[in-house]
Each structure stands twice: as structure tokens, then as C-alpha cells.
Amino acid sequence: MRTKLQGGTVVGYNGQSHVLIRDGVVIWEDDQITYVGRDNGQLADRTLNATDRLIIPGLINLHWHGGVRANWRLTSDHGDLQFFGAGFPNTDAGPRGASYAVSEEESEIAATLNVLELLSGGCTTLVEVGGPAGYVSQLVRQVERFGVRAYLGPGYRSASYSRNPHGVVQYDWDEASGREGLEAAREFIQHHDGLSKGRVRGMLFPLQADTCTPELLQATARAAQELDVPVQIHTGQNLMEFHQTLRQYGRTPVELLADAGLLGPRTILGHCIMISGHPQAHYPDGNDLDLIAVAQAHVAHCPVSLARRGMHLHHLSRYLARGINVGLGTDIHPFDLIREMRDAGLVGKVAAESPNAATAREVFNAATLGGAAALGRTDLGRLCPGAKADLAIVNQQALHYGVIRDPIRSLVDCGVASDVETVVVDGEIVMEHRHIPEAPSLSWLLERAQGFAEAYWAAYPQLDWSGRSASEAFTNAFPWAEI
Ligand SMILES: [Zn+2]
């Protein structure tokens, strides 16, 4: 079927760069774009009107974590000092053996909520970073149901965090479980890669540089080659991990990956903040940036969740100038990649101490072309003949935009996820005027998710090393009034 989208400003791609086309059209046959440019009166089986709208490539969310994320609602504004700001150990490191079972129903609700939030914010390619196997299976179902594109796989690692009776964090090593996790991931990829007309793709997710043995990193590099899939691993995401690999191996996290043969063009480094030369690392003499650049590895930048922890990439424009490809992700919450572009710009300017750094051009590229390059895809993140018909129509006729001179700078400065009106993936309309066919009612979905989150918070004393309640360990901004 031939579809013509007409009117509005189209963000086209000329082979080198995005370009703005006033009153443009996009035409696609089935899943592939055949024409982007001025309207020459071409005929089509179906015409979509986008007068006064901005038409952008579907956004690529290169790094996000699924679930109802109840633990992350606790850790904002809080952090145990021994973690140097890192967020997840605050709820992940409990007494040895403590765990919280997530039901199939909770996974289904979470996966539905996650996919709907991402899709309705214009994200058409979703990279979930190695959730538990049960959740990832549900995610495959929801990705297929709502027609988006995703790179998926269960996460694995050789060690987990726990705390001893004095509350001190320790690594519990279980090398066999790391190896078994890799085999389960391999099996998942063999069964799922290519489903839904190729929209579901596999990826390997060894979880963190400090929780995987060098042998597991080496085995991952071999598996990625054999399976021909990308890899993503949290690397340099916090100072605790940076210190840990230095103490354990005499290597920075980036050096550890390089030694294991895992630093290469298939590999995406999640966060990649704490590297040699970062002002907070006090480790000025290494050459991590050069190693990443020479290896042609990629970075998944998630400024919002790390800024919440008092950390920042140092800095986006410096990485780009060194020739490192950077994509953008939302990490934990909210899954608003438009807001993430704004914050990538703001954090990047503050870190560089310059208004000329982390520009709208750089952050919009990261959310589109950068993500595509990290996935090895020349058919995503751009609107041009031969590319997949993945796009989002954005309404900028709103008070929070006001007048518009440069629609991309306005999108980055003022935009939010709910400005996205219509989304197309693989040529199919998956959201039209904010209506997603088959989506359950929002109030039903939120009520179910809230119930699962409340159950987690109620169970928190069993997960805390000293048996504290969630309210004791993580106080609210203001107390609930006792009336
Ligand atoms: Zn992450």
C-alpha cells in the first residue's frame, strides 16, 4: 500500500544531515519510504494530513529499563554514601539471598505500560536493557501487539550485590549463573530474533562491567559475533563500579572491556560517565575516551537518571568531537525522550560550561541517527528513500511552544512526549491523534500498576538489610498528614 503524508515541516535526510522541508511530503510503500520532499502531486492509496505539524523520524530509545519501577520511586533524593551516588544498589543490595518475586501478571501490566508510554512519546525503536526473562517474554508480546520495533534479551551477570550484617555492600559471585544466563540469552535470541517482520531483534545484555567476570565478557564477545547481534553493558555508570574494577583488576571499566575483546563496533556502553579524565573520578592519566573511539564502540547517554544521582557525562560535545557515536536513552523514568533531549542539552552545557555545547542538533542527532548507528542500522532514525517508514507527527501549536523559528530547537527547548500526536512504524499507523488501538483503559492500567508497586513497597522491610520500612529508608518530600 502506498501512503502519502502531506503538509507540515518534514525533517528529511540528505545523506549527510537532517534537513528541514517546509510543506513537505513523505511517501512510503508498505514499510519503506520511497520519497521525501516537496509535493509534486503524487497519488497514493491513503493520504494523511499533517498541516502545521512537525514530522520527525521515529525516535530511538537506546537504553531503558522495564517494570513498574517501584524501587526507583524510592531512591530519588536519597542515597547511601558508600554507593558514591549510584542509585540502584540502594534497593538492589539487601541481605544475602533476599529477592522479590514478580508475577507473570505484574510483568504483563508493566510491559504494557512501558510500551504504551514509549510509543505515545514518539519512540519507535525500543532497547530494553536486559530485564528478567519473565518480563522480557511479556515485552515481546506487547511489542508485537502494539507494532513497535525493539531490541530485546534477558540480562545476565556473574555477581549480585548484597549487604553484610553491618550494612556494607559486597559482591556475591556465582560464575555458573553468569554462564547459564548467557546461554539463556543465546536461546532467547535464536527463538525471537526476526519476529514480527523483523521488528523484534535480539541483543546481548551482560548487565554491568563490575558484575561480570572477564571470562563472561570474553564469552559475550564471541557470542555476539556468532549470533551477529549488538551488545549493551552498563560501563562507567558510577564511581563505585569504577573503583571496584580498579581494585579487582587494576583496570578502569572501559579498559576491562577492551582487554576482554568486548570493546568494538557491536558494543554499546550504557551511561559511560565514570571514565578516566572525568573530574569526579580523580583518575586523570588514562585514555578511556581514546579506547572507545578507536574501538568504534557506542555510548547510550541517559542524562536525567544520572543527574538525579548528582552525576553527569563530561561531556557530550567532547565525546562527539572525539568521534564517539552517542545515542540517547531514558533509563528508568519517565520514558520521555523529548525531555531527555532537553536535559542532555542542559547537562551538556553545564558540564562544558558553554552555551555552544550539547546543541539541539547534537541531541536530536543522538535520539535518531546516533541510536541507529549504535544498532548498526542505516534504515532507521532518518526520513529518506530506502529508510523504514518509522515516524512521529508532533503538534507544536501549543502555549508551551509559543512562536517557532527553528522547530527542532523549539522541540528540544519546549517539547514533551505528549506533543506527539501520531506515530507510524514499518508503515503502519500505531497511534493516531493519540489513540492507540487495542490499548487498555489508562485508569485500569494505572490502577493495576499502582497495586503492584504498593505490594513492593509493603514488602520492602524484607529487602532492606536492616529491616527498615520503605518510608523509614526513603522519606517522602513531605509527610502524609495524620488527620
Ligand atoms: Zn541502565
Side-chain angles (χ1 to χ4, degrees):
M1 184 166 75
R2 187 176 218 217
T3 306
K4 180 177 182 180
L5 188 156
Q6 65 183 18
T9 300
V10 173
V11 180
Y13 182 72
N14 69 7
Q16 271 88 45
S17 166
H18 293 304
V19 289
L20 301 180
I21 303 162
R22 207 186 293 278
D23 300 323
V25 302
V26 182
I27 297 171
W28 61 90
E29 298 262 359
D30 301 325
D31 63 333
Q32 198 174 75
I33 294 174
T34 54
Y35 177 84
V36 178
R38 289 301 179 92
D39 193 348
N40 294 328
Q42 297 98 325
L43 298 174
D45 306 311
R46 172 175 68 170
T47 302
L48 305 179
N49 182 15
T51 306
D52 294 332
R53 298 297 186 254
L54 176 68
I55 296 104
I56 62 173
L59 301 175
I60 297 173
N61 194 328
L62 197 58
H63 184 117
W64 60 277
H65 295 271
V68 300
R69 315 312 295 150
N71 57 339
W72 280 99
R73 263 52 176 196
L74 298 176
T75 59
S76 294
D77 298 338
H78 294 86
D80 189 317
L81 297 180
Q82 68 177 305
F83 300 136
F84 297 104
F88 65 97
N90 286 282
T91 53
D92 279 18
R96 178 173 286 164
S99 68
Y100 184 78
V102 173
S103 67
E104 203 171 312
E105 192 192 356
E106 178 174 347
S107 293
E108 184 186 351
I109 292 293
T112 308
L113 194 70
N114 297 159
V115 170
L116 290 176
E117 182 184 358
L118 287 156
L119 154 60
S120 66
C123 294
T124 55
T125 301
L126 319 180
V127 183
E128 202 275 339
V129 187
Y135 170 76
V136 178
S137 305
Q138 285 297 336
L139 197 48
V140 171
R141 293 177 57 183
Q142 303 311 323
V143 162
E144 292 189 306
R145 177 182 177 193
F146 295 112
V148 289
R149 202 179 291 287
Y151 282 72
L152 304 173
Y156 54 90
R157 60 186 181 179
S158 324
S160 54
Y161 304 96
S162 70
R163 299 226 217 179
N164 71 16
H166 305 290
V168 177
V169 72
Q170 55 197 5
Y171 288 72
D172 286 338
W173 291 92
D174 181 351
E175 297 187 21
S177 115
R179 287 192 297 273
E180 287 158 18
L182 170 57
E183 286 317 305
R186 185 197 295 274
E187 213 165 288
F188 172 90
I189 290 168
Q190 283 164 344
H191 278 94
H192 295 89
D193 191 41
L195 289 182
S196 282
K197 298 183 189 165
R199 288 194 294 271
V200 173
R201 302 294 299 270
M203 192 185 277
L204 288 167
F205 296 105
L207 285 170
Q208 296 102 5
D210 56 334
T211 60
C212 293
T213 61
E215 293 74 22
L216 188 62
L217 298 176
Q218 288 162 11
T220 297
R222 287 193 299 273
Q225 185 95 28
E226 287 160 19
L227 295 162
D228 192 21
V229 293
V231 178
Q232 183 160 177
I233 177 168
H234 292 92
T235 307
Q237 69 172 328
N238 59 62
L239 200 51
M240 185 178 86
E241 168 212 338
F242 189 83
H243 284 195
Q244 177 67 20
T245 66
L246 273 179
R247 285 200 200 108
Q248 196 168 355
Y249 307 106
R251 303 273 185 280
T252 67
V254 168
E255 289 168 345
L256 186 66
L257 264 59
D259 282 2
L262 190 55
L263 201 64
R266 285 179 192 284
T267 299
I268 302 164
L269 308 177
H271 307 315
C272 199
I273 286 176
M274 286 302 159
I275 60 169
S276 61
H278 191 286
Q280 293 172 343
H282 297 292
Y283 192 84
D285 297 325
N287 62 342
D288 284 351
L289 263 195
D290 290 339
L291 285 175
I292 299 165
V294 169
Q296 297 180 287
H298 315 271
V299 169
H301 179 33
C302 310
V304 171
S305 76
L306 275 298
R308 271 195 207 112
R309 310 308 308 169
M311 285 180 273
H312 61 277
L313 193 82
H314 188 79
H315 53 79
L316 176 62
S317 300
R318 177 168 158 252
Y319 281 41
L320 294 172
R322 186 62 192 79
I324 295 169
N325 177 52
V326 179
L328 209 59
T330 52
D331 208 21
I332 45 166
H333 69 93
F335 294 155
D336 179 346
L337 205 65
I338 295 176
R339 174 212 171 146
E340 202 80 31
M341 285 194 260
R342 173 161 55 255
D343 290 337
L346 295 175
V347 171
K349 288 175 197 303
V350 171
E353 300 180 25
S354 167
N356 299 313
T359 59
R361 180 189 177 96
E362 288 178 345
V363 299
F364 188 82
N365 277 343
T368 52
L369 299 169
L375 299 170
R377 300 286 299 254
T378 54
D379 58 347
L380 299 179
R382 72 208 69 197
L383 300 181
C384 63
K388 290 285 185 189
D390 290 8
L391 55 86
I393 302 175
V394 181
N395 179 10
Q396 295 186 307
Q397 303 292 306
L399 286 171
H400 58 282
Y401 283 100
V403 299
I404 293 172
R405 174 174 170 78
D406 176 342
I408 298 301
R409 292 216 311 253
S410 285
L411 181 72
V412 170
D413 279 344
C414 311
V416 288
S418 55
D419 298 333
V420 174
E421 267 184 354
T422 295
V423 177
V424 173
V425 183
D426 244 4
E428 299 290 337
I429 301 170
V430 294
M431 179 173 84
E432 189 164 23
H433 300 297
R434 302 224 34 95
H435 173 70
I436 300 174
E438 280 198 50
S441 94
L442 184 61
S443 57
W444 179 85
L445 197 56
L446 289 176
E447 194 183 313
R448 303 291 300 141
Q450 186 75 25
F452 290 120
E454 299 284 357
Y456 171 85
W457 295 324
Y460 188 77
Q462 300 151 41
L463 305 171
D464 185 78
W465 70 274
S466 61
R468 293 170 299 178
S469 69
S471 307
E472 286 165 344
F474 308 99
T475 51
N476 274 3
F478 297 102
W480 294 101
E482 292 175 19
I483 301 171

